[in-house]
Amino acid sequence: MGIMGLALAWETRIPAVAQRERRVEEAFREQDPAPGAAADRTEDTALAAACLSGDLRAYERLYSLHGARMKNLARNILGSATDAEDAVQETFLKVQRSIASFRGQSSFVTWTFRILVNTCYDARRSRLRKKEVTAEDDPQRENAAPRPEPRAAVAHPTLRLALERALTKLTRHQRDVFLLYEVEGFRHAEISSMLEISEAASKNTLFQAKKNLRQMLEPPRASGAGAR
């Protein structure tokens, strides 16, 4: 899986062993809404109403606001820029076809991203089935990981690469929650709607994901061979 949008801010927050437990507890705390949250809600409501009315310009607005973010998330889930483009395109078709079913139980953007996540899951399952069919012809292909997509240089490339490798070792569920929360910036309430889990389950999954990542990324402890 390619991890293209990993935020350096999280990478630099990987704690030392002595601070691990305190930082892990902080992972459960929701961040305060951004100052423009009220304006975002107003925009979201207006966008939903326009799409419901069949205004095609509203879909163009939805894409201009969130298309890049959608592609980034799809690439992180699917590991392929081409598959991500297809998933986003299919998502917009599904949104247009099912817009009448939107009831406002979550924000319109969250609802759209939920469709995107499910579309990516369907694509991933389809790809796995194809791999199973071709595994006998090329046994090494089954375990081959997609090459990461190029991304902007960061201050700590070695740490970034180590984090990307560690993420591939998480369970699919842990990786997806981590990506949605730490990379894409969604809140647990939004993730619970997208993945159809409780907020508590989202928080616990993130907790486990970070715990596993820290265990993989912390340097090995000094050997006690010379200790008395």
Side-chain angles (χ1 to χ4, degrees):
M1 181 189 73
I3 309 297
M4 285 66 61
L6 295 178
L8 181 59
W10 190 88
E11 295 174 13
T12 59
R13 292 204 305 269
I14 297 172
V17 175
Q19 297 177 320
R20 178 173 57 184
E21 296 303 324
R22 178 173 63 82
R23 296 291 181 87
V24 166
E25 290 300 323
E26 290 174 357
F28 281 95
R29 300 176 188 169
E30 285 280 3
Q31 297 178 351
D32 293 332
D40 290 343
R41 286 194 294 271
T42 300
E43 170 79 16
D44 185 271
T45 300
L47 199 57
C51 289
L52 279 166
S53 71
D55 186 352
L56 294 180
R57 290 174 299 179
Y59 289 100
E60 294 175 359
R61 176 66 174 166
L62 178 64
Y63 183 83
S64 67
L65 288 173
H66 302 287
R69 192 181 183 192
M70 292 171 72
K71 289 179 183 179
N72 187 61
L73 176 60
R75 282 199 306 269
N76 280 328
I77 293 176
L78 297 172
S80 163
T82 300
D83 290 346
E85 292 276 0
D86 292 342
V88 170
Q89 184 176 16
E90 185 175 351
T91 295
F92 271 86
L93 292 174
K94 288 180 178 178
V95 168
Q96 287 183 287
R97 288 196 296 262
S98 58
I99 185 64
S101 67
F102 176 66
R103 295 289 181 264
Q105 296 171 330
S106 62
S107 78
F108 181 56
V109 171
T110 298
W111 181 75
T112 300
F113 270 84
R114 178 179 176 181
I115 294 175
L116 173 65
V117 169
N118 288 332
T119 299
C120 289
Y121 284 174
D122 289 342
R124 193 158 59 182
R125 282 192 292 266
S126 176
R127 189 167 60 189
L128 286 173
R129 285 194 294 269
K130 291 179 181 178
K131 284 185 177 181
E132 290 173 357
V133 171
T134 60
E136 292 183 0
D137 296 331
D138 188 358
Q140 293 182 346
R141 186 178 177 183
E142 178 67 18
N143 296 321
R147 290 186 62 184
E149 293 289 327
R151 52 164 296 181
V154 297
H156 304 283
T158 301
L159 180 57
R160 172 178 61 81
L161 291 173
L163 178 57
E164 290 180 357
R165 294 191 193 100
L167 278 167
T168 65
K169 299 177 182 178
L170 295 178
T171 66
R172 186 194 74 178
H173 196 53
Q174 289 175 358
R175 185 168 62 246
D176 291 345
V177 171
F178 179 90
L179 289 171
L180 288 167
Y181 186 90
E182 288 291 350
V183 178
E184 301 304 330
F186 288 105
R187 297 187 297 273
H188 287 296
E190 297 170 311
I191 296 171
S192 67
S193 176
M194 290 180 204
L195 303 184
E196 298 182 299
I197 58 177
S198 67
E199 287 189 48
S202 178
K203 292 177 180 180
N204 184 62
T205 301
L206 180 65
F207 174 90
Q208 293 297 328
K210 287 185 175 182
K211 179 179 179 181
N212 292 340
L213 287 172
R214 285 163 183 153
Q215 289 174 345
M216 288 185 275
L217 293 171
E218 284 171 357
R221 295 183 180 182
S223 172
R228 293 180 58 185

Coordinates of all heavy atoms in Angstrom, one line a residue, residues 122-207:
D122 N -14.8 -2.1 -1.9 CA -15.2 -3.0 -3.0 C -14.1 -3.2 -4.0 O -13.9 -4.3 -4.4 CB -16.4 -2.3 -3.7 CG -17.7 -2.3 -2.8 OD1 -17.7 -3.1 -1.8 OD2 -18.6 -1.6 -3.1
A123 N -13.4 -2.1 -4.3 CA -12.3 -2.3 -5.3 C -11.2 -3.1 -4.7 O -10.6 -3.9 -5.4 CB -11.7 -0.9 -5.6
R124 N -10.9 -3.0 -3.4 CA -9.9 -3.8 -2.8 C -10.2 -5.3 -2.8 O -9.4 -6.1 -3.0 CB -9.6 -3.3 -1.4 CG -8.3 -3.8 -0.7 CD -7.9 -2.8 0.4 NE -8.8 -2.7 1.4 CZ -8.7 -1.9 2.5 NH1 -7.5 -1.2 2.6 NH2 -9.6 -1.7 3.4
R125 N -11.5 -5.5 -2.4 CA -12.0 -7.0 -2.4 C -11.9 -7.5 -3.8 O -11.5 -8.7 -4.0 CB -13.4 -7.0 -1.9 CG -13.5 -6.9 -0.4 CD -14.9 -7.3 0.1 NE -15.8 -6.3 -0.3 CZ -16.2 -5.3 0.5 NH1 -15.6 -5.1 1.6 NH2 -17.1 -4.4 0.0
S126 N -12.3 -6.7 -4.9 CA -12.2 -7.2 -6.2 C -10.8 -7.5 -6.6 O -10.5 -8.5 -7.3 CB -12.8 -6.2 -7.2 OG -12.7 -6.6 -8.5
R127 N -9.9 -6.7 -6.2 CA -8.4 -6.9 -6.5 C -7.9 -8.1 -5.9 O -7.1 -8.9 -6.5 CB -7.6 -5.7 -6.1 CG -6.2 -5.7 -6.6 CD -5.6 -4.3 -6.4 NE -5.5 -3.9 -5.1 CZ -5.2 -2.6 -4.7 NH1 -4.9 -1.8 -5.6 NH2 -5.2 -2.3 -3.4
L128 N -8.3 -8.4 -4.6 CA -7.9 -9.6 -3.9 C -8.4 -10.8 -4.6 O -7.7 -11.8 -4.7 CB -8.3 -9.5 -2.5 CG -7.6 -8.5 -1.5 CD1 -8.3 -8.5 -0.2 CD2 -6.1 -8.9 -1.4
R129 N -9.6 -10.8 -5.1 CA -10.2 -11.9 -5.8 C -9.4 -12.2 -7.1 O -9.1 -13.4 -7.4 CB -11.6 -11.7 -6.1 CG -12.6 -11.9 -4.9 CD -14.0 -12.0 -5.3 NE -14.5 -10.8 -6.0 CZ -15.1 -9.8 -5.3 NH1 -15.2 -9.9 -4.0 NH2 -15.5 -8.7 -5.9
K130 N -9.0 -11.1 -7.8 CA -8.2 -11.3 -9.0 C -6.8 -11.9 -8.6 O -6.3 -12.7 -9.4 CB -8.1 -10.0 -9.7 CG -9.3 -9.5 -10.3 CD -9.1 -8.1 -11.0 CE -10.5 -7.6 -11.6 NZ -10.3 -6.3 -12.2
K131 N -6.2 -11.5 -7.5 CA -4.9 -12.0 -7.1 C -5.0 -13.5 -6.8 O -4.1 -14.2 -7.1 CB -4.4 -11.2 -5.9 CG -3.9 -9.8 -6.2 CD -3.3 -9.2 -4.9 CE -2.7 -7.9 -5.2 NZ -2.1 -7.2 -4.0
E132 N -6.1 -13.9 -6.2 CA -6.3 -15.3 -5.9 C -6.3 -16.1 -7.2 O -5.8 -17.2 -7.2 CB -7.6 -15.5 -5.1 CG -7.5 -14.9 -3.7 CD -8.8 -15.0 -2.9 OE1 -9.8 -15.4 -3.5 OE2 -8.8 -14.6 -1.7
V133 N -7.0 -15.6 -8.2 CA -7.1 -16.3 -9.5 C -5.7 -16.4 -10.1 O -5.4 -17.5 -10.7 CB -8.1 -15.6 -10.4 CG1 -8.1 -16.2 -11.8 CG2 -9.5 -15.6 -9.8
T134 N -4.9 -15.4 -10.0 CA -3.6 -15.4 -10.7 C -2.5 -15.9 -9.9 O -1.3 -16.0 -10.3 CB -3.3 -14.0 -11.2 OG1 -3.2 -13.1 -10.1 CG2 -4.3 -13.5 -12.2
A135 N -2.7 -16.2 -8.6 CA -1.6 -16.6 -7.7 C -0.9 -17.8 -8.1 O 0.3 -17.9 -8.0 CB -2.2 -16.8 -6.3
E136 N -1.6 -18.8 -8.7 CA -0.9 -20.0 -9.2 C 0.1 -19.7 -10.3 O 1.1 -20.4 -10.4 CB -1.9 -21.0 -9.6 CG -2.8 -21.6 -8.4 CD -3.7 -22.7 -8.9 OE1 -3.7 -23.0 -10.1 OE2 -4.5 -23.2 -8.0
D137 N -0.3 -18.7 -11.2 CA 0.6 -18.4 -12.3 C 1.8 -17.6 -11.8 O 2.9 -17.8 -12.4 CB -0.2 -17.6 -13.3 CG -1.3 -18.4 -13.9 OD1 -1.2 -19.6 -14.0 OD2 -2.3 -17.7 -14.3
D138 N 1.7 -16.8 -10.8 CA 2.8 -16.0 -10.3 C 2.7 -15.9 -8.8 O 2.2 -15.0 -8.2 CB 2.7 -14.6 -10.9 CG 3.9 -13.8 -10.6 OD1 4.8 -14.3 -9.8 OD2 4.0 -12.6 -11.0
P139 N 3.2 -16.9 -8.1 CA 3.1 -17.0 -6.6 C 3.7 -15.8 -5.9 O 3.2 -15.4 -4.8 CB 3.9 -18.3 -6.2 CG 3.9 -19.1 -7.5 CD 3.9 -18.1 -8.6
Q140 N 4.7 -15.2 -6.4 CA 5.3 -14.0 -5.8 C 4.5 -12.8 -5.8 O 4.6 -11.9 -5.0 CB 6.7 -13.7 -6.4 CG 7.7 -14.9 -6.1 CD 9.1 -14.5 -6.7 OE1 9.2 -13.5 -7.5 NE2 10.1 -15.2 -6.4
R141 N 3.6 -12.7 -6.8 CA 2.8 -11.5 -6.9 C 1.8 -11.4 -5.8 O 1.4 -10.3 -5.5 CB 2.0 -11.6 -8.3 CG 1.2 -10.4 -8.6 CD 0.6 -10.5 -10.0 NE -0.2 -9.3 -10.3 CZ -0.9 -9.2 -11.4 NH1 -1.0 -10.2 -12.3 NH2 -1.6 -8.1 -11.6
E142 N 1.3 -12.5 -5.2 CA 0.3 -12.4 -4.2 C 0.8 -11.6 -3.0 O 0.0 -10.8 -2.4 CB 0.0 -13.8 -3.7 CG -1.0 -13.9 -2.5 CD -2.4 -13.5 -2.9 OE1 -2.7 -13.4 -4.2 OE2 -3.2 -13.2 -2.0
N143 N 2.1 -11.6 -2.6 CA 2.6 -10.9 -1.5 C 3.3 -9.6 -1.8 O 3.8 -9.0 -0.9 CB 3.5 -11.8 -0.7 CG 2.8 -13.1 -0.1 OD1 1.7 -13.0 0.3 ND2 3.5 -14.2 -0.2
A144 N 3.3 -9.3 -3.1 CA 4.0 -8.1 -3.5 C 3.2 -6.9 -3.1 O 2.0 -6.8 -3.3 CB 4.2 -8.0 -5.0
A145 N 3.8 -5.9 -2.4 CA 3.1 -4.7 -2.0 C 3.3 -3.6 -3.1 O 4.3 -3.5 -3.7 CB 3.8 -4.1 -0.7
P146 N 2.2 -2.8 -3.3 CA 2.3 -1.8 -4.3 C 3.4 -0.8 -3.9 O 3.6 -0.5 -2.8 CB 0.9 -1.1 -4.2 CG 0.0 -2.1 -3.5 CD 0.9 -2.9 -2.6
R147 N 4.0 -0.3 -5.0 CA 5.1 0.7 -4.7 C 4.4 2.0 -4.3 O 3.4 2.5 -4.8 CB 5.9 1.0 -6.0 CG 6.7 -0.2 -6.4 CD 7.6 0.2 -7.6 NE 8.5 1.3 -7.3 CZ 9.3 1.9 -8.1 NH1 9.3 1.5 -9.4 NH2 10.1 2.9 -7.8
P148 N 5.0 2.7 -3.2 CA 4.4 3.9 -2.8 C 4.4 5.0 -3.9 O 5.4 5.0 -4.7 CB 5.4 4.3 -1.6 CG 6.1 3.1 -1.2 CD 6.2 2.3 -2.5
E149 N 3.4 5.8 -3.9 CA 3.4 6.9 -4.8 C 4.4 8.0 -4.4 O 4.6 8.1 -3.2 CB 2.0 7.5 -4.8 CG 0.9 6.6 -5.4 CD 1.1 6.4 -6.9 OE1 1.5 7.4 -7.6 OE2 0.8 5.3 -7.4
P150 N 5.0 8.8 -5.3 CA 5.9 9.8 -4.9 C 5.1 10.8 -4.1 O 3.9 11.1 -4.3 CB 6.3 10.4 -6.3 CG 5.6 9.7 -7.3 CD 4.8 8.6 -6.7
R151 N 5.8 11.4 -3.1 CA 5.2 12.5 -2.3 C 6.3 13.6 -2.0 O 7.4 13.4 -2.3 CB 4.7 11.9 -1.0 CG 5.7 11.1 -0.2 CD 5.3 10.9 1.2 NE 5.3 12.2 1.9 CZ 5.0 12.3 3.2 NH1 4.7 11.2 3.9 NH2 4.9 13.5 3.8
A152 N 5.8 14.7 -1.5 CA 6.7 15.8 -1.3 C 7.8 15.4 -0.2 O 7.5 14.6 0.7 CB 5.9 17.0 -0.8
A153 N 9.0 15.9 -0.4 CA 10.0 15.6 0.6 C 9.7 16.2 1.9 O 9.1 17.2 2.0 CB 11.3 16.3 0.1
V154 N 10.1 15.5 3.0 CA 9.8 15.9 4.3 C 11.2 16.0 5.1 O 12.2 15.6 4.6 CB 8.9 14.9 5.1 CG1 7.5 14.9 4.4 CG2 9.5 13.5 5.1
A155 N 11.1 16.5 6.3 CA 12.3 16.7 7.0 C 13.0 15.5 7.5 O 14.2 15.4 7.8 CB 12.0 17.7 8.2
H156 N 12.2 14.4 7.7 CA 12.7 13.2 8.2 C 12.3 12.0 7.3 O 11.4 11.2 7.6 CB 12.1 12.9 9.6 CG 12.4 14.1 10.6 ND1 13.6 14.3 11.1 CD2 11.6 15.0 11.0 CE1 13.5 15.3 11.9 NE2 12.3 15.8 11.8
P157 N 13.0 11.9 6.1 CA 12.6 10.9 5.2 C 12.8 9.5 5.7 O 12.0 8.6 5.4 CB 13.5 11.1 4.0 CG 14.6 11.9 4.5 CD 14.1 12.8 5.6
T158 N 13.8 9.2 6.5 CA 14.0 7.9 7.1 C 12.9 7.5 8.0 O 12.4 6.4 7.9 CB 15.4 7.9 7.9 OG1 16.4 8.2 7.0 CG2 15.6 6.5 8.4
L159 N 12.4 8.4 8.8 CA 11.3 8.2 9.7 C 10.0 7.9 8.9 O 9.2 7.0 9.2 CB 11.1 9.3 10.7 CG 10.0 9.2 11.7 CD1 10.1 7.9 12.5 CD2 9.9 10.4 12.6
R160 N 9.9 8.7 7.8 CA 8.7 8.6 7.0 C 8.6 7.2 6.4 O 7.6 6.5 6.4 CB 8.6 9.6 5.9 CG 7.5 9.4 4.9 CD 7.5 10.5 3.8 NE 8.7 10.6 3.1 CZ 9.0 9.8 2.0 NH1 8.2 8.8 1.7 NH2 10.2 10.0 1.4
L161 N 9.7 6.7 5.8 CA 9.8 5.4 5.2 C 9.5 4.3 6.2 O 8.8 3.3 5.9 CB 11.1 5.2 4.5 CG 11.4 6.1 3.3 CD1 12.8 5.9 2.8 CD2 10.4 5.7 2.2
A162 N 10.1 4.5 7.4 CA 9.9 3.5 8.5 C 8.4 3.5 8.9 O 7.8 2.4 9.1 CB 10.7 3.8 9.7
L163 N 7.8 4.6 8.9 CA 6.3 4.7 9.2 C 5.5 4.0 8.1 O 4.5 3.3 8.4 CB 5.9 6.2 9.4 CG 4.4 6.4 9.7 CD1 4.0 5.7 11.0 CD2 4.2 7.9 9.9
E164 N 5.8 4.3 6.9 CA 5.1 3.7 5.8 C 5.2 2.1 5.8 O 4.2 1.4 5.6 CB 5.6 4.2 4.4 CG 5.3 5.6 4.2 CD 5.8 6.1 2.8 OE1 6.5 5.3 2.2 OE2 5.5 7.3 2.5
R165 N 6.4 1.6 6.1 CA 6.5 0.2 6.3 C 5.7 -0.4 7.4 O 5.1 -1.4 7.3 CB 8.0 -0.2 6.4 CG 8.9 0.1 5.2 CD 10.2 -0.5 5.4 NE 11.2 0.0 4.4 CZ 12.1 1.0 4.7 NH1 12.2 1.5 5.9 NH2 12.9 1.4 3.7
A166 N 5.8 0.4 8.5 CA 5.0 -0.1 9.7 C 3.5 -0.1 9.5 O 2.8 -1.0 10.0 CB 5.4 0.8 10.9
L167 N 3.0 0.9 8.8 CA 1.6 0.9 8.5 C 1.1 -0.3 7.7 O 0.0 -0.7 7.9 CB 1.3 2.2 7.7 CG 1.1 3.5 8.5 CD1 1.1 4.7 7.6 CD2 -0.2 3.4 9.4
T168 N 2.0 -0.8 6.8 CA 1.5 -2.0 6.1 C 1.4 -3.2 7.0 O 0.8 -4.2 6.6 CB 2.6 -2.3 5.0 OG1 3.8 -2.7 5.6 CG2 2.8 -1.1 4.1
K169 N 2.0 -3.2 8.2 CA 1.9 -4.3 9.1 C 0.7 -4.2 10.0 O 0.4 -5.2 10.8 CB 3.2 -4.4 9.9 CG 4.4 -4.6 9.0 CD 5.7 -4.7 9.9 CE 6.9 -4.8 9.0 NZ 8.2 -4.8 9.7
L170 N 0.0 -3.1 10.0 CA -1.2 -3.0 10.8 C -2.3 -3.8 10.2 O -2.3 -4.1 9.0 CB -1.7 -1.5 10.9 CG -0.8 -0.5 11.6 CD1 -1.4 0.9 11.6 CD2 -0.5 -0.9 13.1
T171 N -3.4 -4.1 11.0 CA -4.6 -4.7 10.4 C -5.2 -3.7 9.5 O -5.0 -2.5 9.6 CB -5.6 -5.1 11.5 OG1 -6.1 -3.9 12.1 CG2 -4.9 -6.0 12.5
R172 N -6.0 -4.1 8.6 CA -6.6 -3.2 7.6 C -7.5 -2.2 8.4 O -7.5 -1.0 8.0 CB -7.5 -4.0 6.7 CG -8.2 -3.1 5.5 CD -9.3 -3.9 4.8 NE -10.5 -3.9 5.7 CZ -11.6 -4.5 5.3 NH1 -11.7 -5.0 4.2 NH2 -12.7 -4.4 6.1
H173 N -8.2 -2.6 9.4 CA -9.1 -1.7 10.1 C -8.3 -0.7 10.9 O -8.6 0.5 10.8 CB -9.9 -2.6 11.1 CG -11.1 -1.8 11.7 ND1 -12.0 -1.2 10.9 CD2 -11.5 -1.6 12.9 CE1 -13.0 -0.6 11.6 NE2 -12.6 -0.8 12.9
Q174 N -7.2 -1.1 11.5 CA -6.3 -0.1 12.2 C -5.8 0.9 11.2 O -5.7 2.1 11.5 CB -5.2 -0.8 13.0 CG -5.7 -1.6 14.2 CD -4.6 -2.4 14.8 OE1 -3.4 -2.4 14.3 NE2 -4.9 -3.1 15.9
R175 N -5.3 0.4 10.1 CA -4.7 1.3 9.1 C -5.7 2.3 8.6 O -5.4 3.5 8.4 CB -4.1 0.5 8.0 CG -3.3 1.3 6.9 CD -2.6 0.4 6.0 NE -3.4 -0.5 5.2 CZ -3.4 -1.8 5.3 NH1 -2.7 -2.4 6.2 NH2 -4.3 -2.5 4.6
D176 N -6.9 1.9 8.3 CA -7.9 2.8 7.8 C -8.3 3.9 8.8 O -8.5 5.0 8.4 CB -9.1 2.0 7.3 CG -8.9 1.1 6.1 OD1 -7.8 1.3 5.5 OD2 -9.7 0.2 5.8
V177 N -8.5 3.5 10.0 CA -8.8 4.5 11.1 C -7.7 5.4 11.2 O -7.9 6.7 11.4 CB -9.2 3.8 12.4 CG1 -9.3 4.8 13.5 CG2 -10.5 3.0 12.3
F178 N -6.5 4.9 11.2 CA -5.3 5.8 11.4 C -5.3 6.8 10.2 O -5.0 8.0 10.4 CB -4.0 5.0 11.4 CG -2.8 5.8 11.5 CD1 -2.2 6.1 12.8 CD2 -2.1 6.3 10.4 CE1 -1.1 6.9 12.8 CE2 -1.0 7.0 10.5 CZ -0.5 7.4 11.7
L179 N -5.4 6.3 9.0 CA -5.4 7.2 7.9 C -6.5 8.3 7.9 O -6.2 9.5 7.7 CB -5.5 6.4 6.6 CG -4.4 5.5 6.2 CD1 -4.7 4.6 5.0 CD2 -3.1 6.4 5.8
L180 N -7.7 7.9 8.3 CA -8.8 8.8 8.3 C -8.6 9.9 9.4 O -8.9 11.1 9.2 CB -10.1 8.1 8.6 CG -10.6 7.3 7.4 CD1 -11.7 6.3 7.8 CD2 -11.1 8.2 6.3
Y181 N -8.0 9.5 10.6 CA -7.9 10.4 11.7 C -6.6 11.2 11.6 O -6.7 12.4 11.6 CB -7.9 9.6 13.0 CG -7.9 10.5 14.2 CD1 -9.1 10.9 14.8 CD2 -6.7 10.9 14.8 CE1 -9.1 11.7 15.9 CE2 -6.7 11.7 15.9 CZ -7.9 12.1 16.5 OH -7.9 12.9 17.6
E182 N -5.5 10.6 11.4 CA -4.2 11.3 11.5 C -3.8 11.9 10.2 O -3.2 13.0 10.2 CB -3.1 10.3 11.9 CG -3.2 9.9 13.4 CD -2.8 11.1 14.3 OE1 -2.4 12.1 13.8 OE2 -3.0 10.9 15.5
V183 N -4.1 11.3 9.1 CA -3.7 11.8 7.8 C -4.8 12.7 7.2 O -4.5 13.8 6.7 CB -3.4 10.7 6.8 CG1 -3.0 11.2 5.4 CG2 -2.3 9.8 7.3
E184 N -6.0 12.3 7.2 CA -7.1 13.1 6.6 C -7.8 14.1 7.5 O -8.5 15.0 7.1 CB -8.1 12.2 5.9 CG -7.6 11.2 4.9 CD -6.9 11.9 3.8 OE1 -7.2 13.1 3.5 OE2 -5.9 11.4 3.2
G185 N -7.6 13.9 8.8 CA -8.0 14.9 9.8 C -9.5 14.8 10.2 O -10.1 15.7 10.7
F186 N -10.1 13.6 9.9 CA -11.5 13.4 10.3 C -11.6 13.2 11.8 O -10.7 12.6 12.5 CB -12.2 12.3 9.6 CG -12.5 12.5 8.2 CD1 -11.7 12.0 7.2 CD2 -13.5 13.3 7.8 CE1 -11.9 12.2 5.8 CE2 -13.8 13.6 6.4 CZ -13.0 13.0 5.5
R187 N -12.7 13.6 12.5 CA -13.0 13.3 13.9 C -13.5 11.9 14.0 O -14.1 11.3 13.1 CB -13.9 14.4 14.5 CG -13.3 15.8 14.4 CD -14.2 16.8 15.2 NE -15.5 16.9 14.5 CZ -15.7 17.7 13.5 NH1 -14.8 18.5 13.0 NH2 -17.0 17.8 13.0
H188 N -13.5 11.4 15.3 CA -14.0 10.1 15.5 C -15.5 10.0 15.2 O -16.0 8.9 14.7 CB -13.7 9.7 16.9 CG -12.3 9.4 17.2 ND1 -11.6 8.3 16.6 CD2 -11.4 10.0 18.0 CE1 -10.4 8.3 17.1 NE2 -10.2 9.3 17.9
A189 N -16.3 11.0 15.4 CA -17.7 11.0 15.1 C -17.9 10.8 13.6 O -18.8 10.0 13.2 CB -18.4 12.3 15.5
E190 N -17.0 11.4 12.8 CA -17.1 11.2 11.3 C -16.7 9.9 10.9 O -17.3 9.2 10.0 CB -16.3 12.3 10.6 CG -16.8 13.7 10.9 CD -15.8 14.8 10.4 OE1 -14.6 14.7 10.7 OE2 -16.2 15.7 9.7
I191 N -15.6 9.4 11.5 CA -15.1 8.1 11.1 C -16.1 7.0 11.5 O -16.2 6.0 10.7 CB -13.7 7.8 11.9 CG1 -12.7 8.8 11.4 CG2 -13.2 6.4 11.6 CD1 -11.4 8.8 12.2
S192 N -16.7 7.1 12.6 CA -17.7 6.1 13.0 C -18.8 6.0 12.0 O -19.4 5.0 11.7 CB -18.3 6.5 14.4 OG -19.1 7.7 14.4
S193 N -19.2 7.2 11.4 CA -20.2 7.2 10.4 C -19.7 6.5 9.1 O -20.4 5.7 8.4 CB -20.7 8.6 10.1 OG -21.6 8.6 9.0
M194 N -18.5 6.8 8.7 CA -17.9 6.3 7.5 C -17.7 4.8 7.5 O -18.0 4.0 6.6 CB -16.6 6.9 7.2 CG -16.6 8.4 6.8 SD -15.0 9.0 6.5 CE -15.2 10.7 6.7
L195 N -17.2 4.3 8.7 CA -16.9 2.9 8.8 C -18.0 2.1 9.5 O -17.8 0.9 9.7 CB -15.6 2.7 9.6 CG -14.4 3.5 9.0 CD1 -13.1 3.1 9.8 CD2 -14.1 3.1 7.5
E196 N -19.1 2.7 9.9 CA -20.2 2.1 10.5 C -19.8 1.4 11.8 O -20.1 0.2 12.0 CB -20.9 1.1 9.6 CG -21.5 1.8 8.3 CD -22.2 0.9 7.4 OE1 -21.6 0.0 6.9 OE2 -23.4 1.1 7.2
I197 N -19.0 2.1 12.6 CA -18.6 1.6 13.9 C -18.9 2.7 15.0 O -19.3 3.8 14.6 CB -17.1 1.3 14.0 CG1 -16.3 2.5 13.6 CG2 -16.7 0.1 13.0 CD1 -14.8 2.3 13.7
S198 N -18.8 2.3 16.2 CA -19.1 3.3 17.3 C -17.9 4.3 17.4 O -16.8 3.9 17.0 CB -19.4 2.7 18.6 OG -18.2 2.0 19.1
E199 N -18.1 5.4 18.0 CA -17.0 6.3 18.3 C -16.0 5.7 19.2 O -14.8 5.9 19.0 CB -17.5 7.6 18.9 CG -18.2 8.5 17.9 CD -18.5 9.9 18.5 OE1 -17.6 10.5 19.1 OE2 -19.7 10.3 18.4
A200 N -16.5 4.9 20.2 CA -15.6 4.3 21.1 C -14.7 3.3 20.4 O -13.5 3.1 20.7 CB -16.4 3.6 22.2
A201 N -15.3 2.6 19.4 CA -14.5 1.6 18.6 C -13.5 2.3 17.8 O -12.3 1.8 17.6 CB -15.4 0.8 17.7
S202 N -13.8 3.5 17.2 CA -12.9 4.2 16.4 C -11.7 4.7 17.3 O -10.5 4.6 16.9 CB -13.6 5.5 15.8 OG -12.6 6.2 15.1
K203 N -12.0 5.2 18.5 CA -10.9 5.6 19.4 C -10.0 4.5 19.8 O -8.8 4.6 19.9 CB -11.6 6.3 20.6 CG -12.2 7.6 20.3 CD -12.9 8.2 21.6 CE -13.6 9.5 21.3 NZ -14.2 10.1 22.5
N204 N -10.7 3.4 20.1 CA -9.9 2.2 20.6 C -9.0 1.7 19.5 O -7.9 1.3 19.7 CB -10.8 1.1 21.1 CG -10.0 -0.1 21.6 OD1 -9.3 0.0 22.6 ND2 -10.2 -1.2 21.0
T205 N -9.6 1.7 18.2 CA -8.8 1.2 17.1 C -7.6 2.1 16.8 O -6.5 1.6 16.6 CB -9.7 1.1 15.8 OG1 -10.7 0.2 16.1 CG2 -8.9 0.6 14.6
L206 N -7.8 3.4 17.0 CA -6.7 4.4 16.8 C -5.6 4.2 17.9 O -4.4 4.2 17.6 CB -7.2 5.8 16.8 CG -6.1 6.9 16.6 CD1 -5.5 6.8 15.3 CD2 -6.7 8.3 16.9
F207 N -6.1 3.9 19.1 CA -5.2 3.7 20.2 C -4.3 2.5 19.9 O -3.1 2.5 20.1 CB -6.1 3.4 21.5 CG -5.3 3.0 22.7 CD1 -4.8 4.0 23.6 CD2 -5.1 1.7 23.0 CE1 -4.0 3.6 24.7 CE2 -4.4 1.3 24.1 CZ -3.8 2.2 24.9

